[in-house]
Amino acid sequence: MYSFLIPGGVYLKEDAVDRELGAVMTIDHEAPLLQGLWESVRSGQEEMLLSPYLPASYAFLMHVLLCAPFLALDALGTVSQRVRSWRIAAGSGPPPPLRRWWDCFWRLLYRYLTAVLPATALLHTVRSPALPQLAPSCWQLFVEVLACLLLFDTLFFMWHVFMHRVPWLYHNGHRLHHQHRTPFALAAQDSDPLELLSLLLLALSSAWVVGCHPLSEAVFHLCNSWLAVEDHCGYELPWALHRLLPCLGGAPYHQAHHTLQKVNFAPYFIHWDVLFGTYRGPA
């Protein structure tokens, strides 16, 4: 058995050194696969990640960026019969003109700046979030994101039914969103400021109730934004998620809601509408 001198003048016997090395190797071996990504995100950016203005800024920018492919499709649809053939047949009409996109963008920006940003900044300050040292495991991230989506879908379903069944709420708020009888991607968030704020608070509350890791929460908001954009896009695309996952309604499902207004209240999954008899499949 040998002894080794380590910095600081402390002697360790060979078996002690072996135990220390084994412990380090165990930690490295068990470190989450996403640890490198999480450390690169955290490195030198903690002040930005903890900013009270991040939730609203992230939501707005992510929504606009995810709408960009559908803006391109709408532009191509003016000259391409193939693209127009992907439009949902039931009264969808031609792609919306670029002017509607432009007007919608400025309405959204104004509502975010005047209502959503101040309110979510206040909520973020009250929550006082912290950034953990360890990243979540891939399984933990998957479970937390799925749990958030299911919880948000449930809360949205109840709130959405309530907005339709209470005349005052519908006529003084939700009706603004239903001005788009034929929705398009950017219009997914074209709502009354209080409704827009309530939906963002539902998303933030879902992540808080689940107890998400910040990385899981960011992925949840990304998925949430994409599903909302795809639901309102007006296209029945060959690669749409609802073609791969039958539990999702997709754009045809949600467009039926905008057309009939008494069916398909859940945002993404169809199980609540099936259970409560409000499900209407695409024609």
Side-chain angles (χ1 to χ4, degrees):
M1 182 177 293
Y2 299 95
S3 297
F4 299 91
L5 179 66
I6 64 173
V10 179
Y11 284 92
L12 291 177
K13 294 187 181 297
E14 184 179 21
D15 59 344
V17 174
D18 290 340
R19 286 196 300 271
E20 291 293 328
L21 291 175
V24 171
M25 292 177 66
T26 300
I27 293 173
D28 288 341
H29 178 71
E30 295 179 354
L33 186 64
L34 300 171
Q35 188 64 36
L37 172 63
W38 177 236
E39 289 178 356
S40 66
V41 170
R42 289 181 64 246
S43 178
Q45 302 180 62
E46 291 199 21
E47 184 177 350
M48 183 193 72
L49 292 173
L50 294 174
S51 169
Y53 306 111
L54 180 64
S57 303
Y58 178 79
F60 178 77
L61 291 174
M62 191 56 59
H63 179 65
V64 171
L65 289 173
L66 292 176
C67 287
F70 297 105
L71 173 60
L73 277 179
D74 283 353
L76 287 171
T78 60
V79 296
S80 171
Q81 178 60 38
R82 179 63 178 272
V83 172
R84 286 197 297 272
S85 71
W86 292 336
R87 297 284 298 170
I88 298 172
S92 66
L98 296 183
R99 179 70 185 182
R100 285 185 67 191
W101 279 82
W102 184 250
D103 292 343
C104 185
F105 172 82
W106 286 110
R107 285 196 301 270
L108 281 180
L109 180 61
Y110 175 77
R111 290 165 189 163
Y112 263 89
L113 290 176
T114 58
V116 177
L117 186 68
T120 54
L122 178 61
L123 176 65
H124 194 77
T125 303
V126 172
R127 286 176 63 193
S128 300
L131 298 179
Q133 296 290 327
L134 288 178
S137 66
C138 293
W139 176 248
Q140 178 188 347
L141 184 141
F142 171 78
V143 169
E144 288 179 350
V145 170
L146 180 60
C148 283
L149 288 171
L150 289 170
L151 178 57
F152 175 80
D153 191 80
T154 302
L155 296 175
F156 185 101
F157 174 80
M158 293 187 293
W159 178 228
H160 196 187
V161 170
F162 197 60
M163 286 191 289
H164 274 269
R165 300 292 167 85
V166 178
W168 187 90
L169 282 176
Y170 182 83
H171 291 292
N172 292 280
H174 192 53
R175 183 173 63 176
L176 183 63
H177 181 64
H178 276 279
Q179 68 179 311
H180 302 289
R181 191 172 179 83
T182 303
F184 58 101
L186 195 62
Q189 293 194 17
D190 193 10
S191 305
D192 175 81
L194 291 179
E195 180 184 345
L196 185 62
L197 177 61
S198 71
L199 298 181
L200 187 54
L201 291 178
L202 284 182
L204 293 171
S205 300
S206 298
W208 178 74
V209 169
V210 171
C212 277
H213 188 282
L215 191 58
S216 302
E217 183 173 354
V219 174
F220 158 61
H221 290 307
L222 174 62
C223 295
N224 196 24
S225 296
W226 172 254
L227 289 170
V229 166
E230 187 178 294
D231 272 3
H232 290 81
C233 71
Y235 289 93
E236 173 73 293
L237 297 171
W239 56 84
L241 279 176
H242 67 274
R243 290 179 176 272
L244 303 174
L245 302 172
C247 58
L248 297 175
Y253 165 88
H254 194 69
Q255 186 146 316
H257 171 74
H258 275 260
T259 302
L260 303 174
Q261 299 199 21
K262 295 182 178 181
V263 298
N264 299 354
F265 292 102
Y268 311 133
F269 300 98
I270 64 173
H271 57 272
W272 289 120
D273 283 301
V274 171
L275 286 171
F276 284 93
T278 54
Y279 174 73
R280 173 72 176 267

